[in-house]
C-alpha cells in the first residue's frame, strides 16, 4: 500500500484542546476554545495560541494582552465544544455551561474552576500569519487542582482524563506506554 500526496496542510495531530478565558478592558469576559496552542519555551515559560481576528475573544485579548489557558477534560468535553462554536457576542458561555469563574492571581481574565490546570498568560507579541494571528505569551502563574495530587504531592493530570482534538473529533488520552528516557534507561 502506498501513500497519497496531499496539498500542504496542518497534519500535526492530535492537538491539545484548551479553553481560553479572556477579559476586555470594559470588563467583558468570554471563553474561546482553541486547538492551536502550545509550549514554545521552558525558560522563560512561554506559550503560543493562534486565534482568528474575527473572533470575539481576539479583540478582548488584544485590548488587555492577557488570557488564561484552561486545560480540558472528559467531563469538560461538551463545554469545550460549545465554547468553540458559540460566540461570546451572543451568549455568556460561563452561565450557559455552568462554569465557575475563579479570579486569577495576576491577570484580569477569570479562570475556569472546573479545569484541572489554569495557566495565566501575558502577551509579549502578536504575529499576523494569515487566517490566524499567533499570540506569544509569558506564563505568569500556574494553578493546579489539589484533587489531582497524590500523597507525595505529585500531580496526576491523567486522573482528570484530559482530552485532545484531531480532525474535528475529541478524544480522551490513552494508556501510558513509557516515560521520558525509558528507551535508554538501564535495567536494574
Amino acid at each position: 500500500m502506498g501513500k497519497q500526496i496531499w496539498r500542504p496542510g496542518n497534519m500535526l495531530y492530535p492537538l491539545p484542546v484548551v479553553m481560553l478565558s479572556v477579559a476586555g478592558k470594559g470588563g467583558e469576559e468570554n471563553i474561546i476554545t482553541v486547538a492551536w496552542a502550545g509550549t514554545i519555551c521552558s525558560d522563560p515559560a512561554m506559550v503560543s495560541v493562534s486565534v482568528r481576528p474575527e473572533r470575539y475573544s481576539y479583540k478582548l485579548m488584544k485590548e488587555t494582552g492577557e488570557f488564561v489557558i484552561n486545560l480540558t477534560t472528559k467531563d469538560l468535553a461538551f463545554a469545550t465544544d460549545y465554547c468553540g462554536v458559540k460566540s461570546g457576542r451572543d451568549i455568556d458561555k460561563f452561565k450557559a455551561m455552568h462554569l465557575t469563574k475563579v479570579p486569577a492571581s495576576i491577570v484580569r481574565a477569570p479562570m475556569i474552576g472546573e479545569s484541572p490546570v489554569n495557566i495565566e498568560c501575558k502577551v509579549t507579541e502578536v504575529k499576523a500569519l494569515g487566517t490566524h494571528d499567533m499570540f506569544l505569551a509569558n506564563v505568569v502563574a500556574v494553578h493546579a487542582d489539589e484533587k489531582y495530587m497524590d500523597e507525595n504531592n505529585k500531580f496526576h493530570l491523567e486522573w482528570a482524563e484530559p482530552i485532545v482534538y484531531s480532525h474535528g473529533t475529541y478524544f480522551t488520552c490513552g494508556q501510558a506506554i513509557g516515560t521520558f528516557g525509558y528507551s535508554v534507561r538501564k535495567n536494574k
Side-chain angles (χ1 to χ4, degrees):
M1 180 180 274
K3 292 192 177 188
Q4 296 179 2
I5 298 174
W6 294 352
R7 67 175 176 81
N10 294 313
M11 291 298 294
L12 187 60
Y13 287 104
L15 299 166
V17 58
V18 299
M19 291 189 286
L20 302 183
S21 44
V22 300
K25 286 186 176 177
E28 317 92 308
E29 296 172 330
N30 194 41
I31 302 168
I32 180 175
T33 299
V34 299
W36 292 2
T39 299
I40 56 173
C41 190
S42 54
D43 188 12
M46 293 184 73
V47 295
S48 70
V49 297
S50 293
V51 179
R52 289 180 182 267
E54 62 269 16
R55 298 293 298 263
Y56 176 66
S57 291
Y58 178 94
K59 175 182 87 78
L60 305 179
M61 291 169 64
K62 284 278 282 197
E63 281 180 6
T64 63
E66 300 175 345
F67 59 90
V68 177
I69 296 174
N70 302 277
L71 297 191
T72 58
T73 65
K74 184 177 176 182
D75 288 344
L76 287 171
F78 186 86
T80 299
D81 184 67
Y82 184 91
C83 291
V85 297
K86 290 291 191 175
S87 175
R89 288 182 187 96
D90 306 321
I91 192 160
D92 180 337
K93 297 177 195 179
F94 279 98
K95 279 186 184 173
M97 290 293 98
H98 308 288
L99 296 171
T100 309
K101 288 182 192 180
V102 176
S105 61
I106 296 174
V107 302
R108 70 185 86 204
M111 302 185 303
I112 298 173
E114 292 77 9
S115 174
V117 176
N118 316 91
I119 305 166
E120 295 185 52
C121 303
K122 287 197 173 215
V123 176
T124 60
E125 184 179 351
V126 180
K127 295 180 80 72
L129 300 174
T131 58
H132 291 69
D133 286 0
M134 181 172 53
F135 290 77
L136 304 175
N138 286 323
V139 173
V140 295
V142 177
H143 305 260
D145 192 324
E146 291 176 342
K147 74 180 175 184
Y148 303 110
M149 302 279 198
D150 67 18
E151 62 279 353
N152 297 316
N153 212 30
K154 181 181 177 192
F155 185 73
H156 291 273
L157 182 60
E158 70 276 13
W159 294 353
E161 299 182 277
I163 59 173
V164 294
Y165 179 82
S166 182
H167 299 291
T169 303
Y170 304 98
F171 294 93
T172 56
C173 294
Q175 178 182 3
I177 59 170
T179 58
F180 180 76
Y182 83 101
S183 64
V184 295
R185 202 169 288 128
K186 293 183 181 180
N187 294 332
K188 293 181 179 181

